[in-house]
Amino acid sequence: MNFSKTKLLRRTIALTAAALIANAQATVVHFKTNMGDFDVNLFDSSTPETVENFLDYVEAGSFNSTVIHRSVLDFVAQGGGYNYFAEDNTVDVVTAFDPVINEPVFSNVRGTIAMAKLGGDPDSATSQWFINLSDNSANLDLQNGGFTVFGVVMADGMEIVDAINDLDRYNLGGSFDSAPLISVPAEGEEITNDHLVIVESITVTDNNVDTHLELLPPLTIDADHDGYPNDVDAFPEDETEWLDSDNDGIGNNADTDDDNDGVADVDDDFPLDPSKSERETNDSSGGGSLPLWSLIALGLVSVLRRRVKK
């Protein structure tokens, strides 16, 4: 199988055909694959930008004849990134639209579909999606701003996704380093659509935007997307505050004392100067000077030290 350069002619034909398709805001889309079919309910109201982005690709026909190029056992099955062209047995990247803003509302639990994106860039998702094969919330809800869950596989559809995940995986190079294959070609023969897992089409089957409430997954375990799970976050809805190790109601990021004067930096006008802090008063002792009792104490300590040395 050859990985070809961009096929501008095919893209032009696809986009021209897409222009004839009526716009739709779908609640349910149908995945037709060579391993079986399943339906996905989309969360139009909760993740509107992500759903609109996904439907833009659906309506453009971009997902037709795409490859499940990555399958990690009991983790995810990923697609939406590469088209397969049977006429010359080649694959090519799906033409990407503008990236979509991250909308991490729901948790990455089993059966949910989410957007793939670039590392270190929460707002970089384009066409690639993945289906969670297990509860990945402890990982995917916390990293890279959280991965946007925008739908869930319906009814018995996960049986098909599980069957895909049960296939043997092979390193075909590049992004196909864990590609599931239905069968392995004989020695000397090329890999074709008889071996690859192909998403033949994704189509709208129900354009009612009233999401099935009974299918909504739990909310993300990192509500403020600061990288700390809610159950250990003293301020789970405030991304500027997080852990509170001493349980004083002040997040660790604001509860520091860089000059070790006993005053938290957030309340200290001079956080790097131990001789000046809000503990001191502006009396005759002078700003920042030590009071008399402190000088006496220091003098006694000095005397004791000299005696010990003798």
Side-chain angles (χ1 to χ4, degrees), residues 3-305:
F3 289 80
S4 67
K5 296 180 179 179
T6 304
K7 299 177 173 60
L8 293 177
L9 179 59
R10 292 192 179 101
R11 294 290 189 263
T12 302
I13 294 173
L15 292 174
T16 301
L20 302 176
I21 301 175
N23 290 331
Q25 291 297 309
T27 293
V28 178
V29 290
H30 184 72
F31 283 62
K32 180 177 176 60
T33 85
N34 59 349
M35 288 283 292
D37 301 354
F38 58 92
D39 294 317
V40 171
N41 182 81
L42 305 179
F43 303 142
D44 307 74
S45 299
S46 302
T47 55
E49 298 295 329
T50 306
V51 169
E52 181 179 1
N53 172 75
F54 184 80
L55 290 176
D56 284 344
Y57 288 99
V58 170
E59 293 164 5
S62 302
F63 291 141
N64 295 345
S65 193
T66 48
V67 182
I68 301 295
H69 66 276
R70 179 172 179 250
S71 177
V72 181
L73 187 62
D74 297 329
F75 181 45
V76 299
Q78 185 170 338
Y82 300 89
N83 291 112
Y84 174 79
F85 300 98
E87 57 268 32
D88 56 2
N89 193 38
T90 58
V91 296
D92 193 15
V93 294
V94 170
T95 297
F97 303 147
D98 291 337
V100 63
I101 189 172
N102 202 32
E103 296 178 302
V105 177
F106 297 113
S107 197
N108 283 265
V109 295
R110 173 176 163 80
T112 55
I113 183 171
M115 296 303 297
K117 53 189 175 179
L118 300 175
D121 188 353
D123 299 323
S124 61
T126 54
S127 68
Q128 292 198 34
W129 47 264
F130 61 87
I131 295 174
N132 286 294
L133 274 300
S134 60
D135 185 351
N136 297 319
S137 56
N139 178 11
L140 300 184
D141 285 8
L142 299 178
Q143 64 166 284
N144 201 5
F147 285 79
T148 297
V149 167
F150 64 98
V152 62
V153 177
M154 301 178 68
D156 297 328
M158 284 302 293
E159 294 180 2
I160 302 299
V161 184
D162 286 336
I164 294 171
N165 194 237
D166 287 340
L167 295 173
D168 291 333
R169 291 163 296 281
Y170 297 86
N171 186 351
L172 306 182
S175 298
F176 288 67
D177 59 355
S178 54
L181 295 184
I182 298 172
S183 61
V184 179
E187 185 176 353
E189 294 184 356
E190 288 188 333
I191 294 174
T192 69
N193 55 341
D194 291 330
H195 310 103
L196 297 166
V197 178
I198 303 292
V199 177
E200 298 172 3
S201 64
I202 302 178
T203 55
V204 174
T205 58
D206 183 353
N207 61 5
N208 179 358
V209 299
D210 295 327
T211 300
H212 295 279
L213 295 179
E214 73 278 5
L215 297 178
L216 292 178
L219 298 178
T220 176
I221 64 172
D222 181 17
D224 56 3
H225 315 301
D226 63 356
Y228 293 91
N230 298 338
D231 59 354
V232 297
D233 192 343
F235 306 93
E237 296 183 359
D238 183 355
E239 64 180 5
T240 66
E241 302 274 5
W242 51 90
L243 296 177
D244 179 17
S245 300
D246 56 4
N247 298 312
D248 64 353
I250 301 175
N252 292 352
N253 62 320
D255 194 6
T256 53
D257 180 15
D258 290 336
D259 57 3
N260 298 309
D261 65 352
V263 179
D265 294 340
V266 70
D267 297 321
D268 192 340
D269 287 340
F270 309 96
L272 299 179
D273 187 349
S275 70
K276 298 179 180 180
S277 79
E278 280 58 46
R279 280 191 168 185
E280 298 157 5
T281 60
N282 294 321
D283 55 17
S284 58
S285 63
S289 63
L290 292 172
L292 180 60
W293 65 266
S294 297
L295 294 174
I296 295 174
L298 288 175
L300 291 175
V301 170
S302 177
V303 171
L304 290 174
R305 284 177 177 170

